[in-house]
Structures are given as C-alpha cells and as structure tokens.
C-alpha cells in the first residue's frame, strides 16, 4: 500500500517533507525519448481508442436507457468504422477496454485483437480509482486483466486508468502486476520512466493529454450543461498541430479517442484526413502503445518488467 502522508491542515502549513512526498509519489524521471525510431522513422504515432461503451452511465449508477444507448453506439457503429479505417490505412492501434465493456462485447474484443491491434487494461467498470482502497483497486485491475486475457487471447501489458484517474496506489499496483507501461500521466510530450519516492520504477509512462482527447471536445451531458463546443474541423486542426509538433521534434504523437465520440459520421472523417496528413509528411512509425513502450525500453536499456510483453504485429513504417 502506498505510504500514508499526513495531509491534514492547511497546505501552506504543511512541512517541506509533506509536499515533497506528495510530488515524488509518481513523478517523471528520466526521459525515454529515443535517439532513433525504427527504420529511420521521423516520429512515432500511437493511436488509441478507449472502448468505454456502456460503462460510463453504469459507472455513474445511471440506469437511463438513453445514456446506455449512447454507449452502445460505440460498439455498433463506432468500432466497425474505426476498424475499417485502420485496415484501409494499415495502421495498428491500441484499444483500452473496461472489463465490463469487454464482457458485453466479447466478439468485438476478439475481432479487434485479430486485426492486430493491442488490447489494454482500462478498469473494471470505468470506476474512479481515487474512490477506492488499495485492495479494491488492485482486485478490480487483476480481475480486469484476467477477463481481457481470456477474451483477447493474450495478456495485456499496459494500463490506461479510467478517466486518467491515477490514484496514490496505482503505480504500486502496476508494478505488482508486472506491466510494461501506463498511459495516464502527463508530465511530458514523450515517454519517460516513472519514479516513486525518487527511485526509478522501470515502469514506462506514455503520456496522454486532454488536448489530444476527442472527449474533451465532443462530450455531452443533457442534464449537466455539458455540450460539444468544438466543431470537428477545429478538433482536426488541434490534433494536426500536435502531430506536426511531434514530427518536428522527432517525438511521439499519442492520440486518445473514444468509439462513441469519434465514430460518428460527422467526425470519423477527421481521423481519416489526419492519417492522410501524417502519411503525406512521411516517415511516421505507426505503432501500438506496447510497441512504442518496448522500443523506448530497449533503446534506453531499461530492464524489462516481470510481465514480459509480446508484440502481436510487427512495426510498420510509412
Ligand atoms: Zn474511458
């Protein structure tokens, strides 16, 4: 269990030890941005889809058939469109499944895995980790890993916490599970090694960002005043600028999307045009998150974690 730090009292009255310990709990250590990408590629492109489907209303304890149907859309329309698009461009991606979503759509998980895409851990039912004790969070993630292993035919090597809600216990649980990487924390544009209490952990962080997340721009909640406020053309412009920056700096462009958001008729085209743009700039290494993490680990001479990762599909450079 993560070390207890006394955070009672006003933050401005905390001791230096307290605020240093809080900051050092899961902190960016050395950069794992490699000097080179496979086959002389200019940058790495890591596309991911968080296949939440019905689990967002379920997590909220919301029995609304309307909200649940919005999630089901992700499986019925979103994933088929995404799979077709990725196949057309011969681009691999990573799909992160809450276990309940995977159990509701077992054929989908099997088909996505058979396409050569990575299946990663994304909670049990999209629960918020910061609501949980260490024991409960650990148990749910272990059970989730077992479900995905059974459905996808191979053990997941990476985790993306639901809602990027990385708790004070998450890093320790990732280590205990022997995972290769996490993709929830945001201290850099490019991969880095996580440290705990100032000590290297061997766990690779593949940092996402809200800027590179379709949900931020497209989410909608009828009763909370949350409305999509950005047209797809503007989201495309933002994602393209993020990619161009990664290409210029020879870094990683990591994009998080959701089938029930990006999969709509008015939005899927932006992903198509984005991939076309990346290919037109050239020398992009399209890879799963696991492949990017493995490459960075090997280039840095980082010792493999105990959960040995296997790549399903070889790297493709375009
Ligand atoms: Zn999610």
């Amino acid at each position: 269990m993560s070390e207890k730090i006394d955070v009672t009292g006003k933050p401005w009255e905390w001791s230096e030890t307290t605020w240093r310990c809080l900051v050092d709990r899961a902190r960016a250590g050395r950069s794992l941005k490699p000097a080179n990408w496979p086959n002389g590629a200019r940058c790495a492109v890591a596309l991911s889809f968080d296949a939440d489907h019905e689990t967002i209303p379920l997590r909220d304890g919301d029995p609304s058939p309307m909200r649940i149907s919005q999630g089901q859309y992700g499986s019925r329309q979103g994933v088929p469109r995404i799979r077709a698009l990725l196949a057309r461009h011969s681009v691999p991606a990573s799909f992160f499944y809450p276990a309940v979503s995977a159990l509701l759509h077992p054929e989908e998980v099997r088909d996505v895995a058979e396409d050569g895409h990575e299946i990663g851990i994304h909670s049990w039912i999209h629960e918020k980790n910061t609501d949980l004790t260490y024991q409960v969070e650990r148990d749910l993630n272990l059970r989730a890993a077992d479900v995905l292993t059974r459905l996808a035919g191979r053990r997941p090597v990476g985790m993306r916490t639901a809602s990027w809600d990385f708790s004070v216990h998450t890093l320790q649980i990732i280590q205990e599970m022997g995972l290769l990487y996490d993709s929830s924390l945001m201290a850099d544009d490019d991969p880095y090694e996580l440290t705990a209490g100032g000590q290297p952990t061997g766990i690779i962080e593949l940092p996402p960002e809200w800027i590179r997340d379709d949900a931020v721009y497209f989410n909608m909640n009828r009763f909370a005043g949350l409305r999509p406020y950005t047209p797809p053309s503007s989201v495309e412009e933002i994602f393209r600028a993020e990619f161009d920056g990664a290409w210029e700096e020879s870094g990683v462009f990591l994009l998080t999307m959701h089938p029930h958001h990006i999969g709509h008729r008015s939005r899927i085209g932006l992903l198509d045009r984005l991939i076309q743009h990346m290919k037109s700039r050239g020398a992009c290494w399209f890879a799963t998150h696991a492949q990017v993490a493995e490459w960075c680990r090997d280039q840095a001479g980082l010792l493999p974690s105990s959960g040995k990762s296997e790549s399903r599909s070889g790297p493709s450079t375009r």
Side-chain angles (χ1 to χ4, degrees), residues 167-188:
S167 81
V168 296
H169 307 301
T170 306
L171 179 53
Q172 184 182 343
I173 292 167
I174 287 171
Q175 288 181 282
E176 289 168 358
M177 291 176 74
L179 298 179
L180 172 68
Y181 75 88
D182 173 70
S183 182
S184 312
L185 302 178
M186 310 183 181
D188 204 319

Side-chain angles (χ1 to χ4, degrees), residues 90-245:
S90 297
V91 165
S94 300
F95 286 70
F96 295 93
Y97 276 88
V100 168
S101 172
L103 288 165
L104 284 166
H105 307 283
E107 304 84 9
E108 177 187 305
V109 176
R110 185 198 60 214
D111 291 346
V112 167
E114 282 181 358
D115 284 352
H117 304 304
E118 176 191 3
I119 305 292
I121 300 166
H122 193 51
S123 79
W124 179 259
I125 195 167
H126 221 276
E127 65 278 2
K128 296 173 183 167
N129 286 328
T130 47
D131 287 345
L132 310 178
T133 63
Y134 160 78
Q135 279 299 346
V136 172
E137 182 181 345
R138 183 175 186 275
D139 178 56
L140 289 173
N141 278 295
L142 288 171
R143 286 164 57 200
D146 287 345
V147 165
L148 298 183
T149 302
R150 179 164 56 80
L151 296 179
R154 58 201 301 268
R155 194 137 193 102
V157 300
M159 175 188 289
R160 169 167 292 155
T161 54
S163 307
W164 295 323
D165 190 32
F166 194 104
S167 81
V168 296
H169 307 301
T170 306
L171 179 53
Q172 184 182 343
I173 292 167
I174 287 171
Q175 288 181 282
E176 289 168 358
M177 291 176 74
L179 298 179
L180 172 68
Y181 75 88
D182 173 70
S183 182
S184 312
L185 302 178
M186 310 183 181
D188 204 319
D189 292 305
D190 296 308
Y192 57 87
E193 182 176 9
L194 281 167
T195 63
Q199 298 303 311
T201 63
I203 302 296
I204 298 165
E205 181 58 50
L206 301 177
E209 229 298 326
W210 299 107
I211 300 167
R212 287 175 273 105
D213 177 0
D214 63 350
V216 173
Y217 310 106
F218 295 143
N219 225 335
M220 155 90 190
N221 186 331
R222 180 183 170 192
F223 298 112
L226 179 66
R227 297 288 183 273
Y229 63 87
T230 319
S233 55
S234 296
V235 177
E236 184 179 340
E237 183 184 331
I238 295 166
F239 289 170
R240 183 188 286 229
E242 284 284 321
F243 163 76
D244 286 342

Side-chain angles (χ1 to χ4, degrees), residues 69-80:
S69 73
Q70 282 186 298
Q72 190 184 7
Y73 182 93
S75 181
R76 285 174 73 88
Q77 289 285 10
V79 169

